[in-house]
């Protein structure tokens, strides 16, 4: 006698399963400099991960580690504390 799987099917068809997967994730088109794209490709090859996965992780890291709504975009992305770090070490006085 064959055993029945007690778990009901989550999706009725493969097309329904694929549509649910696509609805879970957003797809963004990104335009990058060639040097940036080459760097991302090189890192992805070193880590043996797809570029899309690497970009996803980079975006998540950037969003978690900076308040972009407050800081906005500026040429120097260091935090105020990081900018002061160079001045924390006292300068040698000319004698």
């Amino acid at each position: 006698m064959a055993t029945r799987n007690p778990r009901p099917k989550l999706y009725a068809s493969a097309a329904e399963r694929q549509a649910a997967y696509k609805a879970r994730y957003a797809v963004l088109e990104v335009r990058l400099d060639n040097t940036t794209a080459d760097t991302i490709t090189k890192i992805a090859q070193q880590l043996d991960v797809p570029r899309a996965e690497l970009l996803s992780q980079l975006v998540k890291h950037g969003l978690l580690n900076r308040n972009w709504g407050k800081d906005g975009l500026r040429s120097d992305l260091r935090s105020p504390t990081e900018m002061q770090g160079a001045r924390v070490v006292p300068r040698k006085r000319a004698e």
Side-chain angles (χ1 to χ4, degrees), residues 14-89:
E16 189 178 321
R17 184 175 63 235
Q18 185 178 18
Y21 175 82
K22 286 183 177 183
R24 268 185 263 153
Y25 299 100
V27 176
L28 301 176
E29 296 175 14
V30 180
R31 186 179 308 265
L32 301 171
D33 298 340
N34 287 333
T35 55
T36 305
D38 292 342
T39 302
I40 288 173
T41 301
K42 185 168 56 171
I43 294 170
Q45 287 172 347
Q46 288 172 352
L47 299 176
D48 195 27
V49 296
R51 284 190 309 177
E53 179 64 27
L54 177 63
L55 282 171
S56 174
Q57 294 298 321
L58 287 170
V59 169
K60 287 178 185 178
H61 178 79
L63 291 174
L64 289 172
N65 289 295
R66 183 167 302 279
N67 185 352
W68 292 98
K70 185 181 122 200
D71 296 340
L73 292 176
R74 54 183 198 266
S75 60
D76 190 0
L77 293 177
R78 294 180 298 167
S79 69
T81 308
E82 291 170 332
M83 284 188 245
Q84 287 180 338
R87 287 182 250 136
V88 170
V89 178

